[in-house]
Amino acid sequence: DGGITQSPKYLFRKEGQNVTLSCEQNLNHDAMYWYRQDPGQGLRLIYYSQIVNDFQKGDIAEGYSVSREKKESFPLTVTSAQKNPTAFYLCASRIGRGNTEAFFGQGTRLTVV
Amino acid sequence: DQQVKQNSPSLSVQEGRISILNCDYTNSMFDYFLWYKKYPAEGPTFLISISSIKDKNEDGRFTVFLNKSAKHLSLHIVPSQPGDSAVYFCAAPAPTDSGGGADGLTFGKGTHLIIQP
């Protein structure tokens, strides 16, 4: 079945460590996105990529980095520079820009202790 | 500044009644809107969408209404069922004529719908 897979579902890291969240899609979508959800907040855009080897900052990119070496994969690294990394992270993909729906993965809950 | 607003953090409705979830937007360039449903610790799932050329779109128990002059849309669920209890997000993609500008969906903060038996 086609879809988006995020791993792991739960992740614990010590403060000051970098951590990478995985996102893979087999929908053949060009565009991929990373969102962050905090309690009482909507989904806020961290980074997006419209095509392989290209990505752009979203609204809250500070302390995060991404890569898009393959169409299917869009990993997100939460660096030690991110001041409040504990959150629920969601990866999504769309066919492309414009009026199309986004498909989401199941999310990764990152807890920094 | 929030471009998509859901002003009710929560809504409680009796099973079998109608649930009405509201959403307002400020960007008049938005021309497409989506509703997502989200359970705790899961990703959002797409429910229904509407283009700005329409004022209503219906899919089974779900109907979305769009009032462009008021920059307001609403999601109606009738009849409401226990499985409808979830957080509902209103979202809009970057306008199609925004050139090479920002991409992605802009989300409201969500409304937690609670269906009471």
Side-chain angles (χ1 to χ4, degrees):
Chain A
D1 276 19
I4 301 180
T5 302
Q6 288 185 243
S7 60
K9 181 134 179 93
Y10 299 96
L11 192 53
F12 294 87
R13 278 295 181 269
K14 290 184 179 178
E15 197 170 336
Q17 288 183 334
N18 291 358
V19 61
T20 297
L21 282 60
S22 170
C23 178
E24 303 277 331
Q25 56 101 357
N26 60 4
L27 298 168
N28 200 33
H29 286 170
D30 284 319
M32 295 188 74
Y33 309 84
W34 275 103
Y35 289 89
R36 167 180 172 143
Q37 185 191 15
D38 296 283
Q41 299 284 329
L43 279 63
R44 293 183 292 168
L45 183 63
I46 304 172
Y47 265 98
Y48 64 93
S49 168
Q50 293 172 341
I51 198 167
V52 174
N53 293 323
D54 184 60
F55 48 83
Q56 305 295 330
K57 291 181 180 180
D59 301 319
I60 54 166
E62 186 175 348
Y64 299 98
S65 66
V66 293
S67 63
R68 187 86 187 276
E69 297 176 3
K70 298 186 301 181
K71 187 175 186 177
E72 302 80 16
S73 179
F74 191 40
L76 173 75
T77 297
V78 184
T79 76
S80 56
Q82 168 50 234
K83 294 177 182 176
N84 188 17
T86 294
F88 190 56
Y89 291 87
L90 288 157
C91 179
S93 71
R94 294 201 295 169
I95 290 175
R97 285 184 61 88
N99 297 339
T100 58
E101 69 190 76
F103 295 82
F104 284 84
Q106 288 299 293
T108 293
R109 175 71 187 175
L110 173 64
T111 302
V112 175
V113 295
Chain B
D1 188 32
Q2 271 194 288
Q3 296 190 67
V4 177
K5 300 178 184 180
Q6 293 177 258
N7 293 319
S8 298
S10 66
L11 174 67
S12 184
V13 174
Q14 263 197 317
E15 183 179 354
R17 301 285 185 114
I18 183 170
S19 295
I20 301 176
L21 296 96
N22 294 305
C23 177
D24 298 293
Y25 61 96
T26 58
N27 188 342
S28 58
M29 300 294 289
F30 284 149
D31 56 5
Y32 189 72
F33 302 90
L34 308 96
W35 284 94
Y36 282 85
K37 176 181 180 179
K38 186 182 180 301
Y39 293 119
E42 292 186 10
T45 55
F46 169 73
L47 260 182
I48 192 168
S49 62
I50 188 165
S51 165
S52 61
I53 62 173
K54 294 186 175 182
D55 55 17
K56 176 183 173 181
N57 188 27
E58 192 171 352
D59 183 2
R61 295 186 299 114
F62 303 92
T63 304
V64 56
F65 295 92
L66 175 61
N67 182 334
K68 284 185 65 178
S69 61
K71 294 192 182 71
H72 176 84
L73 59 155
S74 60
L75 174 68
H76 292 213
I77 306 172
V78 56
S80 300
Q81 299 175 352
D84 296 331
S85 294
V87 177
Y88 290 79
F89 290 100
C90 173
T96 49
D97 60 352
S98 62
D103 191 11
L105 301 181
T106 299
F107 285 83
K109 291 189 176 183
T111 296
H112 184 195
L113 176 64
I114 301 162
I115 305 301
Q116 295 187 335

